[in-house]
Each structure stands twice: as C-alpha cells, then as structure tokens.
Amino acid sequence: MIPRGYPPRRPRVRENVNEAIRAREVRAVFPDGSVEIMQTSQAIRKAQELGLDLILIAPTAEPPVAKAMDYGQWQYENKKKQHEAKRKQHVILVKELKFRPNTDDHDYDFKKNHAIRFLKEGNRVKAVVQFRGREIAHTDLGRKLLIRFAEDLAAYGVAEGQPRMEGRNAHVLLSPVKTQTPHPPAKDKPKPPPAQGGAASQ
C-alpha cells in the first residue's frame, strides 16, 4: 500500500529495449547469425517468439542496430566490460610527502623509499618541506633538502622545475620516468653456404 502524500512509483522503463526503442525500423541481429532490416515492431515480436528481448546496441547507425538476446545477459556483459575498462585504466594520483628542514636520515630514507614506490606505480610525488616558527628564516635548508631528494630519485622521477615557496612551505613535484619498451634484438640472417664452383682437379 502506497502511503498518503507520496506519488505512485513509476515502473522502471528499460531504455533501448523492446517497446522503448523509438526507431521505426532496425537492422535486427538474431542468434542464428541472420541479419534483417525490418520494422521495429516486427523485430520485437520475432525476438519475443524466441524468448528474448530486442536490445538497441548501435543507436547512431543507419538504420540503428538491434540484437535479439537475453536482457540479463546483456546487462552482465556490459558490467563486465565496464569493470575491465576501469581495471585497465590507471588514474594518476599526486602522493604528498612532508618533511621538516631538520629531517633526520632515517625519516628521509623512509620517505624516499615510499616515493620510489609511488613513482614506480605511475603516480606523481609532491615533496613538501614545512617551516614552523623561526624555521622560516632557514628556507635554504628546505631547498637543499628538496634538491637532494630530486637528485636521489632521478632514476625514478623527473622534477617539474626547481623547488618553490608557497607561504611557509617549499615543495617540488616529481613525475615518473617514462620507460621505453626495449626492442627485441634483430636476429642475424643465416649466411648462405659457399658456392661450390670451380673445375674438379684431375
């Protein structure tokens, strides 16, 4: 029972499926491999006789292409394709690492190893030196630390310019080094056997 004050729920319309297809005619593809250009209503009826739905798969084609198949299976295949596309797509992130002007070697090495891992994963790294209180008078220490950091990671990342100051922070941005796929070595062509010419010795 629908509570008072709430509009009745509209039945969910399947877009581009069966009666929701607005094209007057379609190029219908059936499971047996047959393809026919026919009125949409006829194609829907033929698909339903096979216990299937008519699904519009290429709406911009002329005429639009529709395929007779199970709607649930079509949804499953679509979700699977989207999942595969997202899995293959790598989103580049900016990973931030924070330092102090007097960061000790242990902490420096710990964060450097993190940066190497981030760069190997294809992400960018933003190294930030924070100055607190009177430390702002020693910005040169922060710049030197960032230059050292960029030099130590030169094999994995390229610095996008020199360290810059923003307020009470200095930072440098590193992008991963693009690795080139080595070409397979060219195979040496076999040398032709020496020609057996000349007159036979008597």
Side-chain angles (χ1 to χ4, degrees), residues 47-172:
Q48 289 176 343
E49 287 173 358
L50 297 170
L52 301 171
D53 299 292
L54 190 72
I55 302 170
L56 199 62
I57 58 174
T60 57
E62 192 64 39
V65 180
K67 189 174 183 180
M69 64 185 300
D70 180 72
Y71 182 73
Q73 181 187 354
W74 178 76
Q75 278 189 315
Y76 171 76
E77 289 180 358
N78 263 6
K79 287 180 180 178
K80 190 176 179 181
K81 287 177 183 177
Q82 290 172 5
H83 177 73
E84 286 293 320
K86 286 182 180 179
R87 190 174 62 84
K88 291 178 182 178
Q89 182 182 14
H90 177 72
V91 179
I92 298 175
L93 303 174
V94 178
K95 301 287 189 175
E96 188 172 293
L97 296 171
K98 294 180 180 180
F99 297 86
R100 298 291 299 281
N102 55 353
T103 297
D104 59 40
D105 289 341
H106 176 75
D107 192 32
Y108 176 87
D109 290 337
F110 179 77
K111 291 179 179 179
K112 182 181 75 173
N113 290 334
H114 273 296
I116 290 171
R117 178 167 59 85
F118 295 148
L119 290 168
K120 283 184 175 181
E121 290 172 352
N123 297 308
R124 299 163 80 195
V125 172
K126 183 178 182 181
V128 180
V129 178
Q130 297 176 316
F131 301 97
R132 295 179 183 174
R134 295 181 181 178
E135 291 176 349
I136 196 66
H138 303 286
T139 56
D140 57 321
L141 294 178
R143 289 179 182 274
K144 287 179 181 178
L145 187 148
L146 292 175
I147 291 171
R148 173 192 169 193
F149 188 73
E151 289 176 349
D152 289 347
L153 295 174
Y156 307 96
V158 179
E160 298 181 10
Q162 295 295 317
R164 296 194 306 170
M165 286 292 299
E166 284 186 0
R168 300 184 69 88
N169 297 335
H171 77 270
V172 69

